[in-house]
Amino acid sequence: MTAMYKDDQGDWMTVCLKYLLFVFNVLFWVGGAAVMGVGIWTLIDKSDYLSLLASSTFAVSAYILILAGALVMVTGFLGCCAVIREQRSCLSTYFCCLLLIFLIELVAGVLAYVYYQRLSEELKQHLNETMTENYAQPGKEAITLAVDRLQQDFKCCGSNNSFDWLHSVYMTSAVSEGRVVPDSCCKTITTLCGRRDHPSNIYKTEGGCITKLEQFLADHLLIIGAVGIGVACLQICGMVFTCCLHRRIKLDPY
């Protein structure tokens, strides 16, 4: 009687674990879609700004997130199959996939954290140089478009302030046609509007474009980190459930 009760109790626990793992895989699949979505959003939303950064760490973090998200979605489907088949070999493979994705997300998280710590210093060292030396120069069309979009989107002018443009390569050349700032600094863009740098005509944002771009990138990095941590917590729960179910399922002959 006691042995039968233990068997019934064991079966009940196994069924509960199966349902928990199945629900987890549904949530895991949704989480994978969210991770991949955040990675794609990071690259697409104002992607022009990436050309203004000295390092590719920010972009690499986003690409790793997209890879991890795709793997999560595939693994979530495999996890459902492993639960339905009730084979220890499938569960072992599923556990290894979870662990691999966890490590990939850990790498992305570390990269994002390291870049977040040095973001301000990198922008201070390189943004002004990138803007003043490469704007409107031959072969630097991508940077020119990025700078114009940056100044219009964030309503700023110059790296620190509008005076940064006075000694730029573009403004000291004949090509500028007497401009003191690019036309993208103007509140209302018209041809040659950059000749007049009065506050009524151009943006005079405190802290310049550095402050705005730093805040934008920092917000994206925080979102990347938050989504990564959330999915990582789900993965830990999934690995625990998988181990428990693996122990309770009898060894199959295949």
Side-chain angles (χ1 to χ4, degrees):
M1 186 72 178
T2 305
M4 186 179 298
Y5 173 76
K6 287 183 177 179
D7 288 341
D8 290 341
Q9 188 181 38
D11 291 341
W12 179 82
M13 291 182 66
T14 301
V15 170
C16 285
L17 282 171
K18 285 174 60 179
Y19 277 111
L20 280 172
L21 195 53
F22 193 86
V23 170
F24 160 79
N25 277 294
V26 173
L27 295 175
F28 193 50
W29 192 92
V30 173
V35 168
M36 188 163 63
V38 168
I40 294 173
W41 168 65
T42 299
L43 290 177
I44 292 178
D45 185 38
K46 298 180 175 60
S47 59
D48 292 342
Y49 302 157
L50 297 178
S51 62
L52 301 176
L53 303 179
S55 69
S56 58
T57 307
F58 185 79
V60 169
S61 297
Y63 281 120
I64 291 177
L65 269 187
I66 294 173
L67 172 63
L71 288 175
V72 163
M73 294 179 71
V74 173
T75 303
F77 175 75
L78 294 177
C80 291
C81 294
V83 172
I84 293 171
R85 290 175 64 87
E86 295 188 25
Q87 289 185 340
R88 297 182 73 182
S89 57
C90 291
L91 289 172
S92 298
T93 303
Y94 175 62
F95 179 86
C96 291
C97 289
L98 285 179
L99 183 60
L100 175 63
I101 295 170
F102 180 80
L103 293 176
I104 291 175
E105 289 180 338
L106 184 63
V107 170
V110 170
L111 285 174
Y113 178 76
V114 170
Y115 189 67
Y116 180 80
Q117 295 298 311
R118 65 177 191 174
L119 176 60
S120 178
E121 190 62 32
E122 178 182 313
L123 289 177
K124 287 177 183 177
Q125 289 180 357
H126 300 285
L127 185 60
N128 184 51
E129 179 182 338
T130 300
M131 293 173 70
T132 57
E133 293 186 6
N134 297 293
Y135 184 82
Q137 298 305 300
K140 302 294 183 180
E141 289 79 10
I143 291 179
T144 302
L145 288 173
V147 171
D148 285 339
R149 187 179 178 189
L150 174 69
Q151 296 189 140
Q152 278 296 298
D153 286 353
F154 292 133
K155 296 178 171 52
C156 58
C157 183
S159 179
N160 297 291
N161 52 60
S162 60
F163 298 113
D164 291 338
W165 287 112
L166 293 178
H167 305 291
S168 67
V169 175
Y170 174 61
M171 296 306 159
T172 55
S173 67
V175 183
S176 67
E177 300 182 88
R179 293 179 178 88
V180 289
V181 294
D183 290 344
S184 57
C185 282
C186 299
K187 295 178 179 179
T188 301
I189 297 180
T190 57
T191 305
L192 299 177
C193 66
R195 287 179 172 178
R196 181 169 172 265
D197 62 353
H198 192 271
S200 63
N201 184 51
I202 68 170
Y203 295 115
K204 292 281 189 178
T205 306
E206 185 177 351
C209 293
I210 279 185
T211 304
K212 296 289 188 178
L213 183 58
E214 181 181 353
Q215 187 60 51
F216 169 80
L217 294 175
D219 290 344
H220 272 63
L221 289 172
L222 287 175
I223 292 172
I224 289 174
V227 172
I229 290 172
V231 175
C233 291
L234 272 178
Q235 286 175 263
I236 293 173
C237 294
M239 286 188 280
V240 171
F241 292 151
T242 303
C243 288
C244 294
L245 186 59
H246 185 276
R247 292 182 61 186
R248 303 198 70 84
I249 292 178
K250 295 180 180 180
L251 186 62
D252 59 78
Y254 302 103

mmCIF file of all heavy atoms in Angstrom, residues 165-197:
data_model
loop_
_atom_site.group_PDB
_atom_site.id
_atom_site.type_symbol
_atom_site.label_atom_id
_atom_site.label_comp_id
_atom_site.label_asym_id
_atom_site.label_seq_id
_atom_site.Cartn_x
_atom_site.Cartn_y
_atom_site.Cartn_z
ATOM 1 N N TRP A 165 32.097 73.744 -33.900
ATOM 2 C CA TRP A 165 32.153 73.731 -35.364
ATOM 3 C C TRP A 165 33.080 74.799 -35.944
ATOM 4 O O TRP A 165 33.484 74.696 -37.112
ATOM 5 C CB TRP A 165 30.750 73.930 -35.943
ATOM 6 C CG TRP A 165 29.863 72.733 -35.795
ATOM 7 C CD1 TRP A 165 28.754 72.615 -35.010
ATOM 8 C CD2 TRP A 165 30.008 71.474 -36.470
ATOM 9 N NE1 TRP A 165 28.205 71.356 -35.140
ATOM 10 C CE2 TRP A 165 28.950 70.641 -36.041
ATOM 11 C CE3 TRP A 165 30.927 70.978 -37.391
ATOM 12 C CZ2 TRP A 165 28.797 69.337 -36.501
ATOM 13 C CZ3 TRP A 165 30.782 69.681 -37.856
ATOM 14 C CH2 TRP A 165 29.730 68.869 -37.420
ATOM 15 N N LEU A 166 33.457 75.793 -35.158
ATOM 16 C CA LEU A 166 34.249 76.898 -35.684
ATOM 17 C C LEU A 166 35.588 76.452 -36.257
ATOM 18 O O LEU A 166 36.093 77.036 -37.213
ATOM 19 C CB LEU A 166 34.473 77.953 -34.585
ATOM 20 C CG LEU A 166 33.221 78.703 -34.116
ATOM 21 C CD1 LEU A 166 33.567 79.672 -32.989
ATOM 22 C CD2 LEU A 166 32.580 79.461 -35.286
ATOM 23 N N HIS A 167 36.181 75.417 -35.657
ATOM 24 C CA HIS A 167 37.508 74.954 -36.084
ATOM 25 C C HIS A 167 37.431 73.617 -36.835
ATOM 26 O O HIS A 167 38.440 72.931 -36.974
ATOM 27 C CB HIS A 167 38.434 74.822 -34.874
ATOM 28 C CG HIS A 167 38.545 76.077 -34.062
ATOM 29 N ND1 HIS A 167 39.177 77.207 -34.524
ATOM 30 C CD2 HIS A 167 38.079 76.397 -32.823
ATOM 31 C CE1 HIS A 167 39.115 78.160 -33.618
ATOM 32 N NE2 HIS A 167 38.456 77.704 -32.569
ATOM 33 N N SER A 168 36.263 73.280 -37.309
ATOM 34 C CA SER A 168 36.116 72.014 -38.051
ATOM 35 C C SER A 168 36.680 72.152 -39.453
ATOM 36 O O SER A 168 36.796 73.261 -40.004
ATOM 37 C CB SER A 168 34.637 71.625 -38.124
ATOM 38 O OG SER A 168 33.918 72.543 -38.928
ATOM 39 N N VAL A 169 37.028 71.035 -40.050
ATOM 40 C CA VAL A 169 37.593 71.017 -41.402
ATOM 41 C C VAL A 169 36.598 71.607 -42.400
ATOM 42 O O VAL A 169 36.970 72.368 -43.297
ATOM 43 C CB VAL A 169 37.952 69.567 -41.808
ATOM 44 C CG1 VAL A 169 38.437 69.522 -43.258
ATOM 45 C CG2 VAL A 169 39.012 68.999 -40.873
ATOM 46 N N TYR A 170 35.327 71.274 -42.212
ATOM 47 C CA TYR A 170 34.291 71.745 -43.148
ATOM 48 C C TYR A 170 34.095 73.257 -43.072
ATOM 49 O O TYR A 170 34.041 73.947 -44.088
ATOM 50 C CB TYR A 170 32.982 71.019 -42.841
ATOM 51 C CG TYR A 170 31.794 71.510 -43.637
ATOM 52 C CD1 TYR A 170 31.775 71.425 -45.022
ATOM 53 C CD2 TYR A 170 30.687 72.060 -42.990
ATOM 54 C CE1 TYR A 170 30.685 71.875 -45.757
ATOM 55 C CE2 TYR A 170 29.581 72.523 -43.714
ATOM 56 C CZ TYR A 170 29.590 72.422 -45.093
ATOM 57 O OH TYR A 170 28.513 72.870 -45.816
ATOM 58 N N MET A 171 33.999 73.788 -41.863
ATOM 59 C CA MET A 171 33.704 75.215 -41.704
ATOM 60 C C MET A 171 34.865 76.103 -42.116
ATOM 61 O O MET A 171 34.677 77.265 -42.483
ATOM 62 C CB MET A 171 33.316 75.525 -40.248
ATOM 63 C CG MET A 171 32.043 74.839 -39.799
ATOM 64 S SD MET A 171 30.663 75.169 -40.902
ATOM 65 C CE MET A 171 29.589 73.802 -40.507
ATOM 66 N N THR A 172 36.083 75.594 -42.062
ATOM 67 C CA THR A 172 37.255 76.402 -42.447
ATOM 68 C C THR A 172 37.581 76.253 -43.929
ATOM 69 O O THR A 172 38.571 76.820 -44.398
ATOM 70 C CB THR A 172 38.479 75.979 -41.612
ATOM 71 O OG1 THR A 172 38.687 74.567 -41.745
ATOM 72 C CG2 THR A 172 38.288 76.326 -40.145
ATOM 73 N N SER A 173 36.751 75.525 -44.660
ATOM 74 C CA SER A 173 36.970 75.353 -46.106
ATOM 75 C C SER A 173 35.984 76.218 -46.896
ATOM 76 O O SER A 173 34.976 76.692 -46.361
ATOM 77 C CB SER A 173 36.813 73.892 -46.505
ATOM 78 O OG SER A 173 35.466 73.483 -46.353
ATOM 79 N N ALA A 174 36.290 76.387 -48.172
ATOM 80 C CA ALA A 174 35.423 77.200 -49.033
ATOM 81 C C ALA A 174 34.087 76.516 -49.300
ATOM 82 O O ALA A 174 33.100 77.182 -49.638
ATOM 83 C CB ALA A 174 36.136 77.474 -50.355
ATOM 84 N N VAL A 175 34.040 75.200 -49.119
ATOM 85 C CA VAL A 175 32.818 74.431 -49.388
ATOM 86 C C VAL A 175 31.681 74.855 -48.465
ATOM 87 O O VAL A 175 30.503 74.754 -48.809
ATOM 88 C CB VAL A 175 33.100 72.919 -49.218
ATOM 89 C CG1 VAL A 175 31.860 72.086 -49.559
ATOM 90 C CG2 VAL A 175 34.261 72.496 -50.099
ATOM 91 N N SER A 176 32.020 75.358 -47.274
ATOM 92 C CA SER A 176 30.988 75.720 -46.298
ATOM 93 C C SER A 176 30.177 76.939 -46.720
ATOM 94 O O SER A 176 29.099 77.187 -46.172
ATOM 95 C CB SER A 176 31.624 75.990 -44.934
ATOM 96 O OG SER A 176 32.436 77.149 -44.996
ATOM 97 N N GLU A 177 30.702 77.716 -47.670
ATOM 98 C CA GLU A 177 30.000 78.892 -48.188
ATOM 99 C C GLU A 177 29.606 79.887 -47.090
ATOM 100 O O GLU A 177 28.506 80.437 -47.093
ATOM 101 C CB GLU A 177 28.752 78.482 -48.974
ATOM 102 C CG GLU A 177 29.042 77.600 -50.179
ATOM 103 C CD GLU A 177 27.787 77.260 -50.942
ATOM 104 O OE1 GLU A 177 27.397 78.022 -51.839
ATOM 105 O OE2 GLU A 177 27.182 76.206 -50.622
ATOM 106 N N GLY A 178 30.527 80.078 -46.150
ATOM 107 C CA GLY A 178 30.301 81.075 -45.115
ATOM 108 C C GLY A 178 29.500 80.584 -43.919
ATOM 109 O O GLY A 178 29.180 81.370 -43.014
ATOM 110 N N ARG A 179 29.160 79.322 -43.881
ATOM 111 C CA ARG A 179 28.429 78.784 -42.718
ATOM 112 C C ARG A 179 29.346 78.781 -41.502
ATOM 113 O O ARG A 179 30.555 78.592 -41.607
ATOM 114 C CB ARG A 179 27.948 77.355 -42.990
ATOM 115 C CG ARG A 179 26.873 77.218 -44.064
ATOM 116 C CD ARG A 179 26.521 75.738 -44.225
ATOM 117 N NE ARG A 179 25.468 75.490 -45.196
ATOM 118 C CZ ARG A 179 25.685 75.298 -46.500
ATOM 119 N NH1 ARG A 179 26.926 75.349 -46.981
ATOM 120 N NH2 ARG A 179 24.672 75.064 -47.320
ATOM 121 N N VAL A 180 28.752 78.935 -40.327
ATOM 122 C CA VAL A 180 29.504 78.789 -39.074
ATOM 123 C C VAL A 180 29.110 77.500 -38.358
ATOM 124 O O VAL A 180 29.809 77.036 -37.456
ATOM 125 C CB VAL A 180 29.276 80.003 -38.143
ATOM 126 C CG1 VAL A 180 29.974 81.224 -38.705
ATOM 127 C CG2 VAL A 180 27.794 80.259 -37.918
ATOM 128 N N VAL A 181 27.982 76.944 -38.755
ATOM 129 C CA VAL A 181 27.521 75.635 -38.271
ATOM 130 C C VAL A 181 26.829 74.931 -39.445
ATOM 131 O O VAL A 181 26.388 75.592 -40.396
ATOM 132 C CB VAL A 181 26.527 75.757 -37.078
ATOM 133 C CG1 VAL A 181 27.209 76.331 -35.855
ATOM 134 C CG2 VAL A 181 25.308 76.564 -37.473
ATOM 135 N N PRO A 182 26.721 73.607 -39.399
ATOM 136 C CA PRO A 182 25.981 72.922 -40.464
ATOM 137 C C PRO A 182 24.510 73.334 -40.461
ATOM 138 O O PRO A 182 23.965 73.741 -39.427
ATOM 139 C CB PRO A 182 26.130 71.439 -40.096
ATOM 140 C CG PRO A 182 27.323 71.379 -39.214
ATOM 141 C CD PRO A 182 27.330 72.660 -38.454
ATOM 142 N N ASP A 183 23.866 73.207 -41.586
ATOM 143 C CA ASP A 183 22.445 73.572 -41.674
ATOM 144 C C ASP A 183 21.584 72.714 -40.763
ATOM 145 O O ASP A 183 20.492 73.136 -40.360
ATOM 146 C CB ASP A 183 21.959 73.422 -43.127
ATOM 147 C CG ASP A 183 22.555 74.492 -44.038
ATOM 148 O OD1 ASP A 183 23.083 75.494 -43.512
ATOM 149 O OD2 ASP A 183 22.499 74.314 -45.274
ATOM 150 N N SER A 184 22.069 71.512 -40.413
ATOM 151 C CA SER A 184 21.288 70.613 -39.545
ATOM 152 C C SER A 184 21.194 71.124 -38.117
ATOM 153 O O SER A 184 20.430 70.593 -37.308
ATOM 154 C CB SER A 184 21.889 69.209 -39.549
ATOM 155 O OG SER A 184 23.251 69.221 -39.148
ATOM 156 N N CYS A 185 21.962 72.162 -37.786
ATOM 157 C CA CYS A 185 21.860 72.782 -36.463
ATOM 158 C C CYS A 185 20.646 73.707 -36.377
ATOM 159 O O CYS A 185 20.232 74.092 -35.278
ATOM 160 C CB CYS A 185 23.111 73.608 -36.155
ATOM 161 S SG CYS A 185 24.552 72.629 -35.652
ATOM 162 N N CYS A 186 20.110 74.084 -37.514
ATOM 163 C CA CYS A 186 19.026 75.060 -37.545
ATOM 164 C C CYS A 186 17.704 74.464 -37.059
ATOM 165 O O CYS A 186 17.401 73.298 -37.323
ATOM 166 C CB CYS A 186 18.839 75.595 -38.961
ATOM 167 S SG CYS A 186 20.304 76.439 -39.624
ATOM 168 N N LYS A 187 16.927 75.289 -36.401
ATOM 169 C CA LYS A 187 15.608 74.861 -35.935
ATOM 170 C C LYS A 187 14.670 74.642 -37.116
ATOM 171 O O LYS A 187 13.822 73.744 -37.093
ATOM 172 C CB LYS A 187 15.033 75.906 -34.976
ATOM 173 C CG LYS A 187 15.840 76.052 -33.686
ATOM 174 C CD LYS A 187 15.272 77.136 -32.778
ATOM 175 C CE LYS A 187 16.086 77.245 -31.496
ATOM 176 N NZ LYS A 187 15.581 78.312 -30.595
ATOM 177 N N THR A 188 14.813 75.458 -38.134
ATOM 178 C CA THR A 188 14.087 75.268 -39.395
ATOM 179 C C THR A 188 15.130 75.248 -40.502
ATOM 180 O O THR A 188 15.781 76.265 -40.783
ATOM 181 C CB THR A 188 13.089 76.418 -39.646
ATOM 182 O OG1 THR A 188 12.167 76.480 -38.559
ATOM 183 C CG2 THR A 188 12.328 76.183 -40.945
ATOM 184 N N ILE A 189 15.320 74.085 -41.110
ATOM 185 C CA ILE A 189 16.393 73.930 -42.089
ATOM 186 C C ILE A 189 16.027 74.583 -43.419
ATOM 187 O O ILE A 189 15.007 74.270 -44.030
ATOM 188 C CB ILE A 189 16.716 72.448 -42.318
ATOM 189 C CG1 ILE A 189 17.237 71.806 -41.020
ATOM 190 C CG2 ILE A 189 17.759 72.287 -43.421
ATOM 191 C CD1 ILE A 189 17.585 70.345 -41.152
ATOM 192 N N THR A 190 16.886 75.492 -43.840
ATOM 193 C CA THR A 190 16.812 76.090 -45.173
ATOM 194 C C THR A 190 18.244 76.174 -45.700
ATOM 195 O O THR A 190 19.208 76.072 -44.919
ATOM 196 C CB THR A 190 16.196 77.500 -45.133
ATOM 197 O OG1 THR A 190 16.966 78.320 -44.239
ATOM 198 C CG2 THR A 190 14.751 77.451 -44.674
ATOM 199 N N THR A 191 18.405 76.345 -46.977
ATOM 200 C CA THR A 191 19.738 76.433 -47.561
ATOM 201 C C THR A 191 20.521 77.608 -46.973
ATOM 202 O O THR A 191 20.011 78.743 -46.913
ATOM 203 C CB THR A 191 19.643 76.592 -49.092
ATOM 204 O OG1 THR A 191 18.862 75.524 -49.619
ATOM 205 C CG2 THR A 191 21.023 76.562 -49.727
ATOM 206 N N LEU A 192 21.727 77.317 -46.523
ATOM 207 C CA LEU A 192 22.643 78.298 -45.936
ATOM 208 C C LEU A 192 22.148 78.909 -44.628
ATOM 209 O O LEU A 192 22.637 79.959 -44.193
ATOM 210 C CB LEU A 192 22.944 79.429 -46.938
ATOM 211 C CG LEU A 192 23.614 79.001 -48.257
ATOM 212 C CD1 LEU A 192 23.791 80.212 -49.174
ATOM 213 C CD2 LEU A 192 24.957 78.341 -48.004
ATOM 214 N N CYS A 193 21.207 78.243 -43.963
ATOM 215 C CA CYS A 193 20.736 78.766 -42.672
ATOM 216 C C CYS A 193 21.820 78.703 -41.605
ATOM 217 O O CYS A 193 21.738 79.387 -40.585
ATOM 218 C CB CYS A 193 19.486 78.010 -42.212
ATOM 219 S SG CYS A 193 19.788 76.261 -41.811
ATOM 220 N N GLY A 194 22.866 77.860 -41.849
ATOM 221 C CA GLY A 194 23.951 77.716 -40.877
ATOM 222 C C GLY A 194 24.888 78.908 -40.818
ATOM 223 O O GLY A 194 25.838 78.914 -40.037
ATOM 224 N N ARG A 195 24.631 79.938 -41.644
ATOM 225 C CA ARG A 195 25.478 81.141 -41.594
ATOM 226 C C ARG A 195 25.206 81.984 -40.348
ATOM 227 O O ARG A 195 26.035 82.803 -39.952
ATOM 228 C CB ARG A 195 25.220 82.002 -42.842
ATOM 229 C CG ARG A 195 25.802 81.433 -44.125
ATOM 230 C CD ARG A 195 25.477 82.327 -45.301
ATOM 231 N NE ARG A 195 26.182 81.903 -46.507
ATOM 232 C CZ ARG A 195 26.039 82.504 -47.698
ATOM 233 N NH1 ARG A 195 25.210 83.542 -47.808
ATOM 234 N NH2 ARG A 195 26.706 82.066 -48.743
ATOM 235 N N ARG A 196 24.057 81.749 -39.735
ATOM 236 C CA ARG A 196 23.666 82.564 -38.570
ATOM 237 C C ARG A 196 23.523 81.653 -37.358
ATOM 238 O O ARG A 196 22.718 80.727 -37.353
ATOM 239 C CB ARG A 196 22.339 83.271 -38.875
ATOM 240 C CG ARG A 196 21.817 84.175 -37.793
ATOM 241 C CD ARG A 196 20.660 85.023 -38.325
ATOM 242 N NE ARG A 196 20.003 85.769 -37.266
ATOM 243 C CZ ARG A 196 18.917 85.345 -36.626
ATOM 244 N NH1 ARG A 196 18.363 84.177 -36.957
ATOM 245 N NH2 ARG A 196 18.377 86.074 -35.661
ATOM 246 N N ASP A 197 24.339 81.896 -36.326
ATOM 247 C CA ASP A 197 24.349 81.026 -35.151
ATOM 248 C C ASP A 197 23.657 81.635 -33.937
ATOM 249 O O ASP A 197 23.964 81.307 -32.786
ATOM 250 C CB ASP A 197 25.777 80.617 -34.782
ATOM 251 C CG ASP A 197 26.649 81.804 -34.407
ATOM 252 O OD1 ASP A 197 26.183 82.950 -34.569
ATOM 253 O OD2 ASP A 197 27.790 81.568 -33.967
#
